[in-house]
Amino acid sequence: MESPTQKFQQNRAAAEGAEMSFIDHLEALRWHIIRAAIAVVVFATTAFLAKDFLFHDLILGPSRADFWTYRMFCKLGQALNNADLCMDKVGFIIQNREMSGQLTMHISTSFIVGLVLGFPYLFWEVWRFVKPGLYPHERANSRGAVFFVSLLFAFGLLFGYYIAAPLSINFLASYTVDPTIENQIDLQSYLSTLTTMSLSCAFVFELPMIVFFLAKAGLITHEIMRMYRKHAIVVILIVAAVITPPDVSSQIIVTLPILALYELSIHIARVVRRKNVERLNQQLADNQGVVEG
């Protein structure tokens, strides 16, 4: 009767013998890329056709005083008896200065929206390509990766769009050095600020998943993260200062969720470490049983 170790070695050898060639890997990767590209094109085309919603409601929403974020701040100001949190109008005008500017902006914005909406499917295709190369226990430990990566991306994107971007746009576009100077913001500049803020927050919110995979690979532990917590706080403050306007309130609003994500990542690294130790102990116990048998 074959021992568990012998069965494992035979299965490992069979798997290595059935490995795909380099050309087969390239062919598989090509089809993953094609399917992902088709998904992006479909979402981008849908966004391009929904021009009124895309620009009037979505893109230009933070440029109007009736935007959801401004209304919530106004309600907060009323509750705190602080009229400064309410705004009746925005202090800038968005304009286009190039002949083909609006058409170009329409196409590029549709492509960006296609990438954003297709991100879960893009990551799923990447995961389908990587997954066959993982060991069974690695696949089991990474179960739900596509869901959580997509969920964190969506949370970060919503936070950037509804919190970080409106604060930055309102501060930068209404800031004046002299009352006689009127702020007339170029459409390209406005869109660049909006997308940069939103996408930056979306990717920053992936910190827990990044720590999860690094902890799985043994490249980081919760002890290291606790040891360098003060350094991490400095880095987080710098990141918040880069992606927000030079306004203390905006930086605090962006810094707090990133700090919360860092603390959550420490907990994730601790759980991963404990499970890794339990798995190694179980393997040692199984091997010891095989030797004694």
Side-chain angles (χ1 to χ4, degrees):
M1 182 176 179
E2 294 179 341
S3 67
T5 303
Q6 291 174 333
K7 289 182 178 180
F8 174 78
Q9 291 175 349
Q10 290 177 358
N11 293 334
R12 178 73 178 274
E16 291 177 350
E19 284 184 353
M20 298 170 60
S21 66
F22 180 72
I23 301 300
D24 292 333
H25 279 294
L26 289 180
E27 179 66 15
L29 178 61
R30 183 173 73 91
W31 281 107
H32 285 297
I33 294 175
I34 290 175
R35 286 191 292 267
I38 291 175
V40 172
V41 170
V42 170
F43 283 119
T45 302
T46 304
F48 184 86
L49 296 177
K51 181 178 66 173
D52 294 337
F53 171 78
L54 176 62
F55 279 91
H56 184 270
D57 297 332
L58 189 64
I59 302 300
L60 298 179
S63 68
R64 296 192 300 272
D66 62 347
F67 187 59
W68 180 86
T69 303
Y70 304 144
R71 289 188 282 110
M72 293 301 104
F73 271 101
C74 186
K75 290 182 179 180
L76 178 62
Q78 293 173 355
L80 299 177
N81 196 22
N82 185 357
D84 293 336
L85 293 179
C86 291
M87 56 181 298
D88 298 327
K89 62 178 182 179
V90 295
F92 62 95
I93 299 174
I94 298 178
Q95 60 182 359
N96 173 53
R97 298 177 181 273
E98 299 181 4
M99 182 67 68
S100 61
Q102 295 199 44
L103 176 61
T104 303
M105 194 60 56
H106 189 188
I107 297 174
S108 61
T109 303
S110 299
F111 179 72
I112 293 174
V113 172
L115 285 174
V116 170
L117 294 179
F119 177 81
Y121 184 78
L122 290 174
F123 186 80
W124 183 64
E125 286 290 350
V126 173
W127 180 248
R128 288 180 61 195
F129 178 73
V130 174
K131 187 177 179 180
L134 302 178
Y135 289 103
H137 72 273
E138 292 175 334
R139 299 179 191 175
N141 293 333
S142 303
R143 188 179 295 114
V146 176
F147 172 77
F148 287 108
V149 167
S150 302
L151 185 65
L152 290 172
F153 183 85
F155 281 154
L157 187 68
L158 292 175
F159 177 82
Y161 177 75
Y162 282 105
I163 303 298
L167 292 176
S168 299
I169 290 172
N170 185 51
F171 175 82
L172 294 174
S174 61
Y175 184 85
T176 58
V177 294
D178 190 273
T180 60
I181 301 176
E182 183 180 12
N183 284 331
Q184 298 180 356
I185 310 301
D186 185 71
L187 179 61
Q188 174 65 41
S189 177
Y190 169 83
L191 182 63
S192 176
T193 302
L194 178 64
T195 55
T196 299
M197 293 296 302
S198 301
L199 293 179
S200 296
C201 291
F203 288 112
V204 167
F205 269 56
E206 297 292 347
L207 177 63
M209 290 305 299
I210 295 175
V211 171
F212 173 80
F213 287 113
L214 291 178
K216 283 291 184 183
L219 299 178
I220 195 171
T221 63
H222 65 281
E223 292 94 345
I224 294 177
M225 295 187 68
R226 283 206 306 261
M227 182 185 304
Y228 291 97
R229 180 186 276 118
K230 294 181 180 179
H231 301 80
I233 292 175
V234 174
V235 174
I236 291 172
L237 290 173
I238 294 175
V239 171
V242 170
I243 66 176
T244 58
D247 176 48
V248 177
S249 60
S250 301
Q251 293 175 6
I252 292 176
I253 291 175
V254 173
T255 300
L256 290 179
I258 301 179
L259 287 175
L261 290 172
Y262 187 83
E263 295 300 325
L264 175 62
S265 300
I266 293 178
H267 176 70
I268 291 174
R270 183 187 300 112
V271 172
V272 171
R273 173 71 175 275
R274 184 176 69 247
K275 290 186 176 181
N276 286 342
V277 171
E278 292 175 354
R279 180 173 57 83
L280 290 175
N281 290 336
Q282 184 63 39
Q283 289 179 352
L284 290 176
D286 294 340
N287 293 335
Q288 183 67 25
V290 171
V291 172
E292 293 178 353

